[in-house]
Amino acid sequence: MPKNRALVPLALVAAIILIILAALYFVEPAKALPGIVPGHQAGSTHHHIKHGIAALFVGLACLVYVWFATGKKQHPAA
């Protein structure tokens, strides 16, 4: 499988953003989330735990992709 090194920095940035977003979902209530973040609800004290779990798993999946994409290149046995 060919490795696309151009996607590695993009996946790393996405992973960092998603993990920070997951922490934001866990810590802040819906009313305190920025307006551009899915789940923002004015006046709501509800925490979006499921959104946080999903963002965390997708962020970790991006990190796993970066790990495998930057790993050593294996040569087939002769």
Side-chain angles (χ1 to χ4, degrees):
M1 181 173 170
K3 295 181 181 181
N4 191 351
R5 299 271 182 180
L7 289 178
V8 171
L10 185 65
L12 185 60
V13 169
I16 292 169
I17 290 171
L18 286 168
I19 292 171
I20 291 170
L21 183 62
L24 189 66
Y25 277 128
F26 292 137
V27 173
E28 296 292 333
K31 67 179 177 183
L33 294 173
I36 61 170
V37 175
H40 170 77
Q41 295 171 347
S44 176
T45 59
H46 175 72
H47 287 267
H48 290 289
I49 301 299
K50 290 180 197 173
H51 284 80
I53 292 170
L56 182 64
F57 281 145
V58 174
L60 292 176
C62 287
L63 284 178
V64 169
Y65 170 76
V66 169
W67 182 15
F68 282 113
T70 58
K72 292 183 181 178
K73 190 175 188 180
Q74 291 186 358
H75 297 286

